Amino acid sequence: MPGRNFLFVPGPTNVPDRIQRSMMVPMEDHRSPRFPQLTQPLFPALKRVFGCREGEVFIFPSSGTGAWEASLANTLSRGDRVLAPRFGQFSHLWIDMMQRLGLRVDVLETEWGLGAQEDRIADALRRDTEHAIKAVMVVHNETATGVTSDIGAVRRVMDDLGHPALLFVDAVSSLGSIDFRFTDWGVDLAITGSQKGLMLPAGLGIVCVSPRAREAEKTADLARAFFSFADMRKSNADGYFPYTPALPLLYGLRESLAMLEEEGLPQVYARHARLAAGVREAVCAWGLATCSRATRWHSNTVTAVAVPATVDATRIIDIAYRRYDLSLGAGLSKLSGRVFRIGHLGDLNEVMLLGALGGVEMAMADAGVDFAAGSGVAAAQRFWRGAHRPALVVPETLAA
Ligand code: PLP
């Protein structure tokens, strides 16, 4: 099919040409004296993206799932109790992994469409007078439902109760797109993958670790080998890795971090907020609802759109792909057929999103959804034209 495939799944996201080019490198010796020049600046730059002032970052050659495993295996022991709200497929999968690794998970079953409810976390911690719960695990942005939780608020209830549990956060579909403040929010362990806000292919699992989590490592007895923080720490100190790193991805990561710094993290977050708000205007104009149930939960990186009961969302996704070369996210697990998801994160602007919204409208019309064709695109345009957008900076050599 001519033209580009429109990739609007919530990860992997579009890889900017500049990052693609940066990864076109010959293979090299990852034990050479020159190699640390590439790797050493990556760690402080990643810490800045996490908002981490005190702590350390590890980069594993894995996907986000590997980073989940690394976070658990290095800091917890078999039989440890942890508390985790389940409100979507990714919180579910993380809980499943915790259970498979031998942790005892107090699951807070939560309606899909809501986020982590601080009052319920507080109740559970209040009942834990013995402080048996070792960690609270929250998915910051539940990619399955398009819901963002308030991590700072979760930390506040933990502090108010004086509960010593560690706070683990999955920031896979938020980091580099939605404001994240590791140190200010008192996060002890945050994880992400490379294929979302960092605009890279999948292949890097990144973990940010607080000094308290590092302390927990000393007594944690879960088995770890490939994902050992200690092995990483030892090699990383000199800019090396304990095994062969994913070399082109590290070059890509350097470029990605440079791009985020050039745009400025506050601007990156504002752009994602603006784009997401325009998408929600479109959904509203179509007469449809988001899976996210309230303004406080709306995600700035992904919108799950609920379709009328008479329509199968899978058909909309299939038509979008086959007829219009537009990739949309599917409804996962119990949301299958009930929602389609529009990913709006990474290297993206308004005009690209208008193309996607137009494609969604064509696919919905073909699938028999009853809505006013053009209404969503018009609503998003109205919103974005009114919203403040920083002007494009034209390089002086071109402007002259
Ligand atoms: N956590 C969240 C919130 C995700 O969205 C994903 C993937 O989409 C994962 C974890 C798993 O990451 P990966 O697919 O990179 O293993």
Side-chain angles (χ1 to χ4, degrees):
M1 206 182 262
R4 284 200 151 189
N5 167 256
F6 257 53
L7 184 62
F8 281 83
V9 297
T13 63
N14 296 293
V15 178
D17 293 347
R18 181 173 155 189
I19 294 184
Q20 297 264 26
R21 283 194 297 273
S22 75
M23 293 188 294
M24 299 266 286
V25 288
M27 289 305 106
E28 67 185 65
D29 177 11
H30 58 280
R31 305 199 196 283
S32 78
R34 202 182 73 104
F35 194 63
Q37 287 173 24
L38 164 67
T39 57
Q40 277 176 329
L42 299 176
F43 299 103
L46 272 171
K47 279 178 65 175
R48 286 194 287 279
V49 180
F50 275 102
C52 171
R53 292 188 298 276
E54 275 175 68
E56 54 191 340
V57 167
F58 300 114
I59 307 169
F60 290 98
S62 78
S63 75
T65 304
W68 271 347
E69 184 156 341
S71 68
L72 305 173
N74 284 280
T75 54
L76 294 164
S77 299
R78 205 168 171 79
D80 271 355
R81 257 176 81 192
V82 298
L83 178 69
R86 170 156 52 197
F87 45 79
Q89 181 63 2
F90 292 100
S91 38
H92 166 70
L93 288 174
W94 199 13
I95 288 168
D96 177 58
M97 176 187 277
M98 294 167 207
Q99 290 168 334
R100 286 200 265 168
L101 290 180
L103 302 175
R104 287 187 297 148
V105 191
D106 295 6
V107 180
L108 291 176
E109 294 296 354
T110 306
E111 188 185 337
W112 289 28
L114 307 180
Q117 295 167 297
E118 304 85 13
D119 51 341
R120 293 186 60 205
I121 292 177
D123 285 345
L125 293 178
R126 199 174 291 115
R127 282 195 301 272
D128 177 33
T129 46
E130 311 278 284
H131 291 171
I133 295 173
K134 294 283 180 281
V136 176
M137 337 295 265
V138 182
V139 173
H140 184 208
N141 189 75
E142 175 51 78
T143 324
T145 58
V147 156
T148 305
S149 292
D150 186 342
I151 302 300
V154 173
R155 167 49 77 191
R156 278 195 295 280
V157 301
M158 294 171 73
D159 285 351
D160 289 349
L161 290 166
H163 197 290
L166 297 169
L167 177 57
F168 285 44
V169 179
D170 170 332
V172 172
S173 58
S174 59
L175 196 87
S177 309
I178 298 174
D179 193 7
F180 197 85
R181 307 183 186 193
F182 185 89
T183 299
D184 289 347
W185 293 343
V187 176
D188 291 295
L189 233 140
I191 67 127
T192 198
S194 47
Q195 75 276 22
K196 311 234 181 208
L198 293 175
M199 306 171 286
L200 291 161
L204 298 179
I206 301 168
V207 192
C208 190
V209 183
S210 75
R212 277 187 72 218
R214 183 173 177 164
E215 204 45 41
E217 202 182 322
K218 291 185 185 151
T219 49
D221 73 7
L222 283 183
R224 61 199 90 118
F226 180 81
F227 286 120
S228 162
F229 287 170
D231 291 356
M232 269 289 177
R233 188 178 290 121
K234 203 160 142 222
S235 299
N236 286 175
D238 302 315
Y240 297 102
F241 289 83
Y243 34 66
T244 318
L247 189 89
L249 283 169
L250 296 181
Y251 278 95
L253 179 61
R254 180 169 71 177
E255 204 62 24
S256 148
L257 294 167
M259 286 180 74
L260 290 174
E261 285 197 5
E262 282 165 29
E263 185 175 353
L265 285 174
Q267 288 75 11
V268 171
Y269 304 146
R271 172 168 57 82
H272 281 83
R274 193 171 67 242
L275 294 176
V279 171
R280 290 192 291 268
E281 291 291 320
V283 175
C284 182
W286 292 330
L288 300 178
T290 59
C291 178
S292 162
R293 297 292 291 276
T295 313
R296 74 161 290 204
W297 306 119
H298 290 342
S299 162
N300 285 342
T301 59
V302 53
T303 299
V305 183
V307 299
T310 50
V311 181
D312 181 356
T314 316
R315 202 166 128 63
I316 299 173
I317 296 163
D318 190 59
I319 294 173
Y321 186 74
R322 288 176 197 270
R323 292 194 194 154
Y324 304 116
D325 209 5
L326 166 67
S327 296
L328 298 170
L332 300 175
S333 178
K334 62 181 170 186
L335 294 179
S336 174
R338 293 173 49 201
V339 305
F340 63 85
R341 292 174 301 147
I342 306 174
H344 32 82
L345 71 163
D347 184 42
L348 208 63
N349 62 27
E350 287 86 346
V351 181
M352 290 163 81
L353 256 176
L354 282 175
L357 294 175
V360 169
E361 291 200 350
M362 290 197 287
M364 287 202 303
D366 294 357
V369 179
D370 183 20
F371 75 105
S375 59
V377 170
Q381 283 183 19
R382 255 194 316 278
F383 179 81
W384 286 327
R385 289 178 59 221
H388 170 73
R389 185 187 203 287
L392 198 67
V393 180
V394 181
E396 275 182 29
T397 45
L398 291 182

